[in-house]
Amino acid sequence: MTAEVLSRKEALLKLENISKRFGKIVVADNLSLKIGPGEALGIVGPNGAGKTTLFSIISGDVVPDKGRIYFSGELINRLSPAKRCRLGIGRTYQIPRPFTAMTVFENVLVAAYEGAGARGQNAYRLSTTILEQTGLFHLANRPGGQLGLLQRKRLEIARALASRPKLLLLDEVASGLTDPEVASLVKVVLGLRSSGISIIWVEHVMRALMGSVERMICLASGNIIADGSPSDVLASPLVREVFLGTEPDVPDSGEVTVAESLAPDESEDRTSQITRMQHSGDYTLQTIELDQPEANQ
Amino acid sequence: MIWLNALVQGIMLGGLYALFACGLSLLFGVMEVINLAHGDMAVAAGYLAVVLIPATHIGALWSFVIVVPIFAVGGYLLQRTLLQRSLDVDPLITLLVTFGLSIVLENVLLEVFSADSHSFAVGSLVTGAFKLNAQISIGYLPLLILAVAVVVLIGLQLLLSYSKTGRLIRAVADDREASQITGIDYRHIFGLAASIALGTVALAGLALGMYSQFNPTTGPSYLIYAFEAVVVGGLGSLWGTLLGGVVLGIATTVGFQLSPNFGALGPHLVFLAVLAFLPRGLLPKKALA
């Protein structure tokens, strides 16, 4: 199933020609994207590529300059973050933002109340289930501000889940964690996938992403420069160039198109589709593991 | 024994201060709005009762049944219109807006009710007292006001800790932006918090009207005490606000005992001392909890 065959109604989330710039920095450049129900999409890209901003545009924290956002066929451009959450868009923050003075249970409970619209005992039951699912139940009465990093990341996921999302936006939930912690987190995410939730996962930790998503895009300067299976995307020369910081053979001044539609027929062969990339300045070198592009596929 | 009496009377007076301060504390704790019209709103509640008591033949003591709901609804509307709009522009604008509101309220009250002082007749409650011994007697009214203050503050604390609304208020106070991604409409929650705060302001205004006289310009002087009680107790902490009110009350009565001139100065000196040595207040707390 490719995203292209999905019409607007079938796509859970559809971004149409989204543009956003902060001053001179372009974080989304006429960007279009579709996610189907149950699909898991990984997003990679150098720092400043617009990954987190893309999440903020989807969740409603940032208003795009141009473009349309559809969720379940409904135009949601003008809806507040709270309304989008109630519609079924859950997000986590890259730097976890628990309600520090509230207990872990209460953190999840408020999302169950307002995000999922649960009442009374149902809200309590939903919160308890989610705490068990995310491995936080034993910490239920600990204040959110007293959690360690792994637990905070889990709480971000738990709070997003408590709003009963159809689409979950995970923002670097694996970064900063040890290998066993990443493994246990991946297990949580795989558990979610089996329940049918669509996931968009921004991540630098490739070993977390490789086994968890079936589709990957690479963002650079607000453009999608690659879209396909994780192994194909990571094998693409353009992506390697962006990540490894090798200089493209063009001058470094301003916005220059370095590659124009490498794949001749975009709609046919999405996996090798590399549209174009606008280069403006340096890319930060990322610590990713490009040496095993086929891993876990 | 004279000093013990001053202490007891100070605790009683502290009830009035604490009742005054809790609306201010709540508004600041939840949305970081410093309501400079706080004192004038309390006085306005007093004048509302002045109008309502003869019109409805309700006893002064029971006027809160009408005045508090009116103020609660007014608080919600005020937040959703004037305060939210200024918050959206810049949180500092709320200072100007509430300051302006204070001036407008004061002058409207002057225009409508003149500068005459008012007070409520609550019969023997004002004069009645029971004697602990020869020197110490406790007035019924101050005791009632203290009891109301304690009940209001404990009630607020319980509401914030265990009710759905309270938890939503705490979440919004904790992180307004993050609360949005849990589906909370923070503007509505701000409105509810303002509604509760203005309800307590109305109670404070009625208590003031029974305790002593008020006129259109009384508000700001009580705003000072409320403000000091909040700071002395610790910003954002309701228990701290109760403690702060009592500390200021004691400073007032002990000051009067030292010298009549000292009564008015005492609480301000305590406030300065707390600012100098315990700038985070007696019961510092990070957020409403």
Side-chain angles (χ1 to χ4, degrees):
Chain A
M1 180 193 73
T2 58
E4 274 74 9
V5 299
L6 290 167
S7 75
R8 182 178 296 161
K9 270 197 179 142
E10 286 160 336
L12 182 62
L13 176 77
K14 184 167 189 270
L15 303 181
E16 266 182 13
N17 309 107
I18 298 291
S19 292
K20 176 73 190 175
R21 47 168 70 224
F22 294 113
K24 282 193 163 177
I25 302 164
V26 179
V27 286
D29 183 15
N30 209 23
L31 197 147
S32 295
L33 185 66
K34 281 182 202 169
I35 310 289
E39 195 176 5
L41 169 74
I43 300 184
V44 298
N47 285 340
K51 304 187 296 294
T52 296
T53 308
L54 184 63
F55 272 12
S56 295
I57 286 172
I58 297 171
S59 70
D61 292 323
V62 168
V63 180
D65 301 330
K66 199 162 78 56
R68 282 191 283 272
I69 312 159
Y70 295 92
F71 187 73
S72 300
E74 186 185 344
L75 185 68
I76 60 168
N77 272 43
R78 315 208 71 182
L79 297 187
S80 69
K83 288 217 177 89
R84 294 189 200 192
C85 171
R86 291 178 203 167
L87 272 184
I89 299 178
R91 86 167 282 187
T92 68
Y93 286 113
Q94 189 175 346
I95 298 159
R97 291 169 73 166
F99 302 126
T100 51
M102 301 174 80
T103 67
V104 167
F105 182 74
E106 287 176 323
N107 264 271
V108 175
L109 185 64
V110 293
Y113 278 141
E114 294 297 283
R119 297 183 184 282
Q121 286 300 314
N122 285 333
Y124 279 72
R125 264 196 296 275
L126 176 60
S127 306
T128 310
T129 310
I130 281 160
L131 287 180
E132 281 165 349
Q133 198 181 349
T134 48
L136 286 171
F137 187 70
H138 63 292
L139 298 168
N141 291 320
R142 182 90 58 92
Q146 290 178 15
L147 298 182
L149 183 63
L150 172 66
Q151 291 153 352
R152 281 175 186 241
K153 300 239 173 194
R154 282 175 184 265
L155 181 53
E156 282 291 311
I157 298 177
R159 203 170 56 179
L161 284 179
S163 65
R164 284 265 167 91
K166 297 187 185 103
L167 171 67
L168 182 60
L169 310 173
L170 299 174
D171 198 348
E172 300 203 14
V173 285
S175 66
L177 300 183
T178 65
D179 284 0
E181 286 174 341
V182 169
S184 75
L185 204 67
V186 165
K187 219 178 277 174
V188 171
V189 174
L190 289 177
L192 301 180
R193 290 216 49 194
S194 62
S195 65
I197 296 177
S198 296
I199 292 171
I200 307 181
W201 189 350
V202 164
E203 193 57 77
H204 283 147
V205 182
M206 288 302 138
R207 64 185 175 282
L209 221 42
M210 291 305 283
S212 314
V213 299
E214 73 256 2
R215 180 181 161 204
M216 186 182 277
I217 62 173
C218 180
L219 275 186
S221 293
N223 284 282
I224 297 174
I225 62 165
D227 185 343
S229 74
S231 49
D232 286 348
V233 167
L234 292 183
S236 123
L238 193 51
V239 172
R240 296 183 74 100
E241 194 174 81
V242 164
F243 268 120
L244 299 175
T246 40
E247 285 293 314
D249 53 352
V250 285
D252 240 15
S253 58
E255 295 179 349
V256 183
T257 307
V258 296
E260 196 104 42
S261 276
L262 293 186
D265 192 347
E266 298 178 10
S267 59
E268 278 302 310
D269 186 9
R270 181 169 53 84
T271 53
S272 63
Q273 170 197 342
I274 295 168
T275 49
R276 63 198 189 93
M277 168 189 140
Q278 291 183 322
H279 181 72
S280 51
D282 305 325
Y283 292 114
T284 318
L285 245 163
Q286 297 302 316
T287 51
I288 62 160
E289 295 151 19
L290 286 166
D291 47 334
Q292 20 169 240
E294 320 255 314
N296 302 323
Q297 260 316 100
Chain B
M1 198 55 87
I2 300 170
W3 297 103
L4 188 61
N5 183 47
L7 192 70
V8 170
Q9 304 308 330
I11 294 171
M12 300 288 146
L13 181 60
L16 182 65
Y17 288 164
L19 194 55
F20 250 97
C22 80
L24 200 68
S25 180
L26 190 65
L27 274 190
F28 182 80
V30 174
M31 45 198 129
E32 296 184 355
V33 166
I34 296 170
N35 178 14
L36 292 178
H38 185 87
D40 301 285
M41 288 174 177
V43 170
Y47 277 105
L48 183 59
V50 166
V51 175
L52 282 173
I53 290 168
T56 60
H57 303 290
I58 198 169
L61 207 53
W62 295 101
S63 58
F64 76 89
V65 177
I66 308 173
V67 177
V68 170
I70 291 176
F71 263 66
V73 172
Y76 185 89
L77 296 177
L78 180 74
Q79 172 60 36
R80 290 306 298 263
T81 53
L82 206 55
L83 292 183
Q84 188 61 55
R85 288 178 73 114
S86 33
L87 265 178
D88 287 342
V89 179
D90 183 342
L92 281 178
I93 301 284
T94 56
L95 269 181
L96 294 177
V97 168
T98 56
F99 183 59
L101 208 58
S102 157
I103 293 171
V104 170
L105 264 179
E106 213 172 299
N107 286 287
V108 166
L109 291 177
L110 261 177
E111 189 65 35
V112 177
F113 296 99
S114 82
D116 295 346
S117 285
H118 284 81
S119 168
F120 305 135
V122 280
S124 60
L125 204 58
V126 172
T127 48
F130 61 88
K131 287 191 182 307
L132 284 182
N133 58 32
Q135 264 105 35
I136 303 176
S137 69
I138 294 178
Y140 291 133
L141 184 66
L143 190 63
L144 176 70
I145 292 174
L146 177 65
V148 169
V150 170
V151 166
V152 165
L153 281 161
I154 290 178
L156 263 181
Q157 196 68 56
L158 291 176
L159 179 97
L160 287 172
S161 298
Y162 301 113
S163 75
K164 177 184 165 185
T165 305
R167 283 171 165 142
L168 299 181
I169 288 176
R170 279 158 57 213
V172 170
D174 205 311
D175 189 333
R176 191 186 310 175
E177 199 181 310
S179 77
Q180 292 229 77
I181 62 154
T182 64
I184 298 177
D185 176 2
Y186 75 88
R187 290 184 169 87
H188 175 62
I189 300 300
F190 274 3
L192 292 182
S195 163
I196 296 169
L198 272 263
T200 69
V201 170
L203 276 180
L206 297 177
L208 171 67
M210 296 174 203
Y211 192 86
S212 72
Q213 295 190 322
F214 60 90
N215 64 51
T217 56
T218 310
S221 61
Y222 275 89
L223 170 69
I224 295 282
Y225 288 117
F227 200 64
E228 289 179 352
V230 173
V231 174
V232 167
L235 290 174
S237 158
L238 287 172
W239 292 126
T241 299
L242 180 61
L243 182 67
V246 168
V247 166
L248 292 185
I250 292 171
T252 307
T253 51
V254 169
F256 266 120
Q257 200 62 56
L258 283 171
S259 141
N261 299 327
F262 242 62
L265 197 59
H268 303 317
L269 290 178
V270 169
F271 167 69
L272 283 179
V274 168
L275 266 191
F277 300 110
L278 290 167
R280 297 184 60 210
L282 298 173
L283 290 178
K285 205 162 250 181
K286 269 193 75 180
L288 288 170

